[in-house]
Structures are given as C-alpha cells and as structure tokens.
Amino acid sequence: TKGKTIYRSAVMKNTFGYEQDAAYIGRDPLAEMIEVAHKNEIKVHAWFEYGFACSYNSNGGDIIAQKPSWAAKDVNGKLVNKNGFDWMNAFLPEVQNFMISLFTEVVKNYDIDGVQGDDRLPALPSTGGYDDYTVNLYKQEHNNAAPPMSYNNTDWINWRADKLTEFLGRLYSAVKTIKSSVIVSSAPSIYSWGKTEYLQDWPTWLEKGYIDMVIPQIYRYDINNYKTTLTQQLSYVSAANK
C-alpha cells in the first residue's frame, strides 16, 4: 500500500531506493503471516492492494516523484485520479514489468499459496490512456489515427481493455512458470460497469485462462440486491468456468 511493500523487496530497493514501508522495518509481516497461517492449515494469498494505483490523493506519491514518465494521463494531460487514487500508466511496458517483478519476487521468496491483484490490477480508470506512449501505440494500430477524445468511446474502451487482458496473460504465465500451484486471482469491479469504468474485461480473462479465480466486488446495501447482482455476474461466466 501507499507505494511501498510491507515485506522487504529488492525490486523496490533497486527501483526506488527503499525496500519496505517504514512502519514495518525490522519485521517481515508476510513471512510472519505465512508461518502462523500454515501451522493452522490456513492458506495465504499475497494481496497487491494498490495494483496500478500509486498513491492516494498525493499527486502520485514517491513513485511518480521519482518516475514522472510512469504517470497515467487523462485527455487534459493531467495525472489520472479516480475516487482519490492516483494512477500509474498500466500500458507502459516499464510499469507492467515492474508489477510483474513484484509478483514474481513474492512467489520466488515466500511459500505463498496465491497472489491477488485486488480491484486495481489489472485496471486503469477509463479516463486514462492519453499519455504519449499509449497514444502512439494506438496510432500504430489505427493507421495513425489518434484515440477518440471521448474516453468512454466503445472501441477505445475495448482496445485498452484488451491491452490489460494481454498484460494479465503475461503476469499469469510469469507466476505459473515459477510455481504452478500458486493461485492467481483478482477482485475486479462488477461487469460490465467495471469494464466501462476501469477497463476490466474479466469474463475474457476467464475465457482465455489468464486467471484462476475472479471475486467480483459486489458491494450492496441489502441481501436481495446482493443476490440479484451475483446472479447477474454469473450470467457472464461460461459453464466451463463456473
């Protein structure tokens, strides 16, 4: 969280100069949790809670301060912020490789049972994608035509969602190559709202075999609405993936 890991990370040390959230220096909470949980036959999934977000109402925090080129940009060239979270550019290869390296570091160094991207991985608010890298990539694939100025244009949504799906495929393969038994999961927003707002096409993730488990975040104020929404979400899942 907050652009830092609670475990001691060589990836963070090499990339940003600090290896751990200061609150946990001298401890390794992830190792502690795994030890106690496994003694009690409880499985542990490492939760990458911020995902492609980098800070909360902090103008990108330490990550963007050190790597301004990693910032996700909206149509006005501003750092993408949604519901308080500031975002990295989820399409940038350097950002994607950084994220994959964090996941693989945990899988290599800990007796972990699973890794989860929470609701922000893979994800990017659909207002993003207007940085130079992503615009140029879009142009390369569209006869030099620029992306639509309307961020919620359907084709533009689909193109960006497909790029995040491709990223997830790379992440999944990287984790499984190290330890095939590790469960790769995500807790995306509900479909299709999550695709429109966060470019999360999780029915396709399941169809392509890029995820072991999807746990949609069905936040509702009463049980009947919860059940209705859950049933609706299941309608997007093929029989083979249920």
Side-chain angles (χ1 to χ4, degrees):
T1 65
K2 297 172 286 186
K4 297 179 175 68
T5 52
I6 67 165
Y7 68 93
R8 290 188 290 275
S9 169
V11 171
M12 293 300 294
K13 178 76 171 176
N14 294 336
T15 310
F16 294 105
Y18 49 79
E19 66 177 3
Q20 188 178 24
D21 188 318
Y24 302 103
I25 288 174
R27 292 181 53 201
D28 188 337
L30 182 54
E32 294 168 15
M33 178 172 281
I34 291 170
E35 180 184 0
V36 174
H38 283 181
K39 283 179 181 176
N40 291 279
E41 299 183 352
I42 297 170
K43 293 182 179 180
V44 179
H45 292 218
W47 192 40
F48 292 80
E49 201 255 344
Y50 264 47
F52 281 124
C54 49
S55 65
Y56 187 80
N57 281 336
S58 300
N59 201 35
D62 291 335
I63 288 178
I64 300 304
Q66 291 196 43
K67 295 194 176 288
S69 65
W70 284 20
K73 297 292 181 68
D74 65 17
V75 71
N76 297 312
K78 303 290 187 184
L79 175 67
V80 171
N81 178 291
K82 189 178 178 75
N83 295 331
F85 287 94
D86 307 308
W87 288 77
M88 294 182 281
N89 180 9
F91 307 115
L92 192 68
E94 197 177 347
V95 171
Q96 292 189 353
N97 292 337
F98 164 69
M99 193 61 63
I100 289 172
S101 70
L102 286 174
F103 273 75
T104 55
E105 178 178 57
V106 165
V107 175
K108 286 175 182 174
N109 294 344
Y110 295 89
D111 184 21
I112 203 75
D113 302 290
V115 287
Q116 186 183 111
D118 193 35
D119 58 341
R120 282 176 286 274
L121 194 137
L124 184 72
S126 53
T127 52
Y130 292 95
D131 60 280
D132 290 344
Y133 171 82
T134 308
V135 168
N136 287 331
L137 182 62
Y138 184 89
K139 285 180 176 180
Q140 288 173 25
E141 298 183 12
H142 292 85
N143 296 317
N144 212 37
M149 296 297 283
S150 174
Y151 71 85
N152 56 5
N153 172 279
T154 300
D155 290 338
W156 178 220
I157 292 277
N158 288 339
W159 183 85
R160 289 173 293 165
D162 288 347
K163 295 301 181 191
L164 291 188
T165 297
E166 290 171 13
F167 160 77
L168 181 59
R170 290 206 303 122
L171 173 64
Y172 187 83
S173 177
V175 169
K176 294 293 183 174
T177 297
I178 297 165
K179 189 177 180 182
S180 61
S181 62
V182 171
I183 291 174
V184 179
S185 67
S186 179
S189 300
I190 59 168
Y191 192 83
S192 58
W193 185 89
K195 183 176 180 182
T196 303
E197 297 293 321
Y198 285 98
L199 308 174
Q200 295 182 311
D201 186 9
W202 59 257
T204 299
W205 304 349
L206 287 167
E207 288 300 316
K208 287 183 174 290
Y210 291 169
I211 200 97
D212 295 315
M213 194 180 295
V214 167
I215 305 138
Q217 297 206 9
I218 305 174
Y219 287 103
R220 292 296 181 265
Y221 289 101
D222 65 73
I223 191 63
N224 289 328
N225 279 343
Y226 178 87
K227 288 179 177 177
T228 298
T229 307
L230 177 58
T231 299
Q232 177 201 46
Q233 295 303 289
L234 283 167
S235 73
Y236 296 116
V237 182
S238 69
N241 287 323
K242 282 183 179 174

